[in-house]
Amino acid sequence: MGRRLIDHPPSRSTSASASSSRTGFLPFPEPQLYRSISQERPKASPPGVNGHRPSRSDFGSASLRLHQDPSTASFASAVSSYYATEDNEYYSGEYGESDKDLSQELSSLSLDSEEGLRRFQTGDLPENDQDWHRLVPPEAIEALGKQEVQRQSVIFEVFKAEREYVADLEAVQEVFIEPLRNAKPPIIQSTSLPGFIAEVFGNLDQILAHHQRMLGALFSRQREQHPLVQSVADIILDTTLKSNFRSAYEVYIKHYPLAESHHRKELKRNHEYQVFMQSASADPRIRKRDLITFLSRPVTRLPRLNLLLEHILKLTDEEHPDLETLPIILEILKDCIKSTQPGIEAAEREIINMDLYYEGRTLVHSGPASRRTRTDAGWSAWSDLMVALLDNFLILTREEKRPNGIVKRFLISRPLPLSYLRLGSFDSPPEMRRERPDDGRILESLRYQNVPLYPFTIYHASNKSNRRYTLYVASEAIRKKWQSSLVDAIGVHKARQEGNMWFNVQSLSDNFFRMGVYKATYKPNVNLPGMVTSAVSFRSGSKRFIAVGCPTGIYVSLRGQENFRKVLPYGNPSSLAAIEGIGEKTFNKFIVHYDTSVFSYSLEIIARVALGQAQIGALEATMERIAGQDSNVLFCKHIQIGQRVLLIYTSKRTLHVTPTMHALEAVDISEMELTPRRTQGPPMRGFRVFGDPGYIPKDAYDVTPLIKTIGICTNDGIVIVDPTNQISQSSPIYTRLALIPHGLPQGRTDNAKPLGLARVDKSELLVIYDGCYITKHGAPSRQCGYMRWESPALSYVHRGDHILLFSAYFIEVRNITTGQIVQVIEADGIRLMFNPYMVKDENILVAMRGGKDDESGISDKIAELVETSEITTAAPVTVPAMWDDWDM
């Protein structure tokens, strides 16, 4: 479907319990639990040692007793015998009467807490009571040492965290997956639903099954040993040792960024899916959390479990067997986390939305190819690839066959968008590759044969040197097939792009602004205003104008005409701005930042001078120097906050190191004094001071407007300030140091600068650096991390649902929510001139290399990006009798 131009854009389930017949949890040889300093064998084996895990029936009134070391005063089980005397004798049960009475009393009191324990395990206990000390008699807490109290509290956190984790995964199954499958009418098309569920929820059911079994075993242990749980390490070790447990996490975590992307995309385009998610959030098990929170639970589960076990290890006594078991578990978890980390890093560092589930997505051509690389020794090494040409991307992958026979394909480079794909040579002579025969014969395998391979070259238009690929195929016919497939795919993609442009480039001027060439320098009458450096669009009365700054001054003309008239002598102004009005307020200001000063003129008089209806002297009489009298202005920008228009500028005095930020409020012309001003000094009539000046980082270079605040761009990040009180409200929101740990490589930030912030929705912002999604508090909001632009961005514009990124040769248009490339505009010497963020019915202005190159010089073109709207096809009107005579 095409697009047309528009002038103005518009109850928890019970977890599975462990089998009661299961007695051994450690697959390793049983550790020596009853050690003394001399490591002698104990004289007698206490009951329950040989494989039996003690239950409450094994504990008599003397089942809990005080450790003989008064400094620790911890409880020890006579059955488990974790604590032994120095002569390697077990406690014989002969205590002082006070100790015996205390143990009996604690045992009786612990039975009274069984109801609380049952309610905890079923999730019915109030949140405030879900702590170990709330389920344990005060006498037990007083008798235990501080270290053992902390240890039991952390062990209880293991139970609690595992219960909540399993409950959340079960909620995903019961609240999200099953209702999606059973919805009538379907929320997602039945043909796409299985693939969608597989992509978004992955192998979550496998992870849930592992943790349901582990939670059952943990709850069984808790019921047996509460209030003094000796260990949970054997249960966790038994689970983590399973290879399918670790592989389930590896598969899920590496796929998670794609799962999140598919969910966000469906949420954006499917209204029924949005309604479903809103209704699901009302379920009490969801507690108003979004699906992303649940999908990210497995990503953080193992690191959090690792932290809990490390804490338990620090609190464990020297003679406890957990000192041997816990390090084993931690090493397993460490290896598991490390094995998933490359996938996390690769996915978190970059978001590439290839729109694979679009209904019209097609695989144009695919096949094997080889690539030649040069090793450190200087020899050329060959690598075998599988190349896939889609109708929107070219993908280079490497195949890897797993022991189970499954073939996995891994990307060897970033996918190449067809908008940037260019073709190089397809006629180079073949090259020879030495190969061994693969026919199974031993003698033949010792010989080599030369196989001819036919090369062809493709490259990325914005990175011709670093993203240039020479691929080799087995025959000339295959090479020609690749060439024709690539030409056809690029041509079809270009036609689709041109028929569905989100922004159409329309020329406003391509003749007046000329740059000198050798043959034009000898013509004294040739008008050479020079290259465009700034421009702004504005209205005066019913007419629309464009003002342009260039090396010879500031020129103004009616839009669409080449009758530019010079109105001001300022050559190469840093910026131009037109402040017309808001609502019933009229400001009538034309702002010029030239050199180190900021000037204000009457917008109405500017228009009249451009039309030849007023003299330059009348314009000069309206001039106000609003900044730069006693300091140098570094940059300025006007913003809108509520019903106020503020002019924000930074200035620095001579010999001062730190610049100062100022805010001036534009004054309605009805409030300005009626008497003419006879001097050019203060007080100002068109502006008044707003708020207090404040110091900002010395490397600040731009301002980006937000809703109620502004962002100050610096080399190391973006600082958010309230322009009404910069001193007390300033706070850095997003610095380079905060960016790197979440995936953006340091090398990519060394020479890059943050360009600003764009609001995605009420809770999320996009940092225009390489794009990184963050919350309003500055924390990264997506596990995926950041988007890398296909061409290095020098400036940007946020317009509706799109973010436009401007580089020297390309304008890259992306969907701001998904990051998907929807349009690429190519030209030479592109510069952003005017961002109409305050005037929505104005279009974006850009300058670029023009189409004229003659004796009058090389033209510099000014164009506007006109937003388009979708063409809706009206239903055909049926006239029954129209074709009767045709007998059709």
Side-chain angles (χ1 to χ4, degrees), residues 51 287 333 801:
R287 303 200 303 274
L333 290 177
D801 294 333

Side-chain angles (χ1 to χ4, degrees), residues 309-470:
L309 297 181
E310 285 180 344
H311 198 184
I312 293 174
L313 182 61
K314 292 178 182 179
L315 298 171
T316 300
D317 287 340
E318 294 181 358
E319 295 299 321
H320 200 293
D322 275 4
L323 285 180
E324 296 180 355
T325 308
L326 285 175
I328 297 174
I329 302 174
L330 292 174
E331 191 65 29
I332 293 173
L333 290 177
K334 179 181 177 181
D335 291 342
C336 185
I337 296 170
K338 185 177 180 180
S339 68
T340 60
Q341 195 63 31
I344 295 174
E345 289 178 355
E348 284 184 351
R349 288 188 175 183
E350 187 171 1
I351 303 170
I352 303 178
N353 189 331
M354 298 174 62
D355 199 18
L356 294 176
Y357 289 89
Y358 168 60
E359 294 176 354
R361 187 65 58 240
T362 58
L363 176 63
V364 178
H365 187 57
S366 66
S370 299
R371 191 180 180 198
R372 198 172 191 178
T373 57
R374 185 163 296 276
T375 64
D376 294 337
W379 296 92
S380 294
W382 292 91
S383 57
D384 295 323
L385 309 176
M386 177 60 67
V387 185
L389 175 61
L390 305 179
D391 62 325
N392 62 341
F393 277 90
L394 180 74
I395 305 173
L396 304 178
T397 65
R398 171 180 54 83
E399 291 188 346
E400 182 177 300
K401 191 171 184 179
R402 298 293 178 87
N404 56 7
I406 297 177
V407 176
K408 294 282 188 179
R409 290 189 174 98
F410 298 91
L411 289 173
I412 66 164
S413 67
R414 301 175 62 245
L416 276 76
L418 293 195
S419 299
Y420 288 94
L421 182 60
R422 301 292 184 267
L423 305 184
S425 172
F426 274 78
D427 55 3
S428 298
E431 299 181 21
M432 296 297 176
R433 176 180 179 178
R434 295 184 64 190
E435 293 183 349
R436 287 193 180 98
D438 191 15
D439 54 8
R441 291 180 293 179
I442 298 177
L443 292 178
E444 291 296 329
S445 65
L446 299 178
R447 302 175 181 174
Y448 289 93
Q449 61 182 3
N450 291 325
V451 177
L453 294 179
Y454 294 79
F456 65 90
T457 302
I458 56 176
Y459 61 91
H460 193 290
S462 182
N463 195 349
K464 299 178 182 179
S465 57
N466 294 331
R467 299 197 64 187
R468 192 176 195 91
Y469 306 92
T470 299

Side-chain angles (χ1 to χ4, degrees), residues 620-772:
E620 292 292 339
T622 67
M623 189 268 287
E624 283 187 301
R625 186 169 183 169
I626 57 179
Q629 295 92 337
D630 53 357
S631 60
N632 297 330
V633 177
L634 304 179
F635 60 87
C636 73
K637 182 171 288 188
H638 69 291
I639 65 172
Q640 179 181 344
I641 296 182
Q643 292 300 309
R644 290 187 170 96
V645 173
L646 303 181
L647 183 70
I648 307 294
Y649 70 92
T650 61
S651 63
K652 186 170 71 172
R653 295 176 180 271
T654 305
L655 302 180
H656 285 214
V657 176
T658 305
T660 306
M661 173 164 285
H662 306 263
L664 302 176
E665 181 182 2
V667 178
D668 189 343
I669 58 174
S670 63
E671 302 177 22
M672 296 173 59
E673 58 187 9
L674 299 179
T675 57
R677 182 168 54 90
R678 299 182 181 278
T679 64
Q680 296 191 9
M684 295 179 295
R685 297 182 302 162
F687 292 88
R688 53 173 168 252
V689 176
F690 186 79
D692 299 323
Y695 292 102
I696 61 172
K698 62 182 180 179
D699 58 350
Y701 54 84
D702 199 4
V703 170
T704 180
L706 302 175
I707 296 179
K708 297 181 180 179
T709 57
I710 60 174
I712 303 174
C713 299
T714 70
N715 290 333
D716 291 326
I718 298 175
V719 178
I720 302 301
V721 302
D722 180 353
T724 64
N725 191 356
Q726 296 97 326
I727 297 176
S728 61
Q729 298 293 332
S730 63
S731 58
I733 183 175
Y734 202 76
T735 64
R736 181 175 301 177
L737 294 178
L739 186 62
I740 292 172
H742 295 276
L744 191 57
Q746 170 123 32
R748 292 188 58 81
T749 65
D750 287 342
N751 299 318
K753 292 182 178 181
L755 301 179
L757 297 168
R759 190 171 186 263
V760 180
D761 53 38
K762 63 181 180 181
S763 61
E764 193 173 43
L765 299 170
L766 176 65
V767 180
I768 313 300
Y769 208 127
D770 273 340
C772 182

Side-chain angles (χ1 to χ4, degrees), residues 203 206-207 210-211 236-254 302 329 331-337 339-340:
N203 62 329
Q206 298 177 11
I207 295 175
H210 286 291
H211 284 273
I236 299 175
L237 179 62
D238 182 59
T239 301
T240 56
L241 276 174
K242 293 181 172 66
S243 60
N244 54 359
F245 171 85
R246 301 191 300 274
S247 64
Y249 268 97
E250 181 177 354
V251 170
Y252 183 90
I253 293 175
K254 289 186 176 182
L302 295 185
I329 302 174
E331 191 65 29
I332 293 173
L333 290 177
K334 179 181 177 181
D335 291 342
C336 185
I337 296 170
S339 68
T340 60

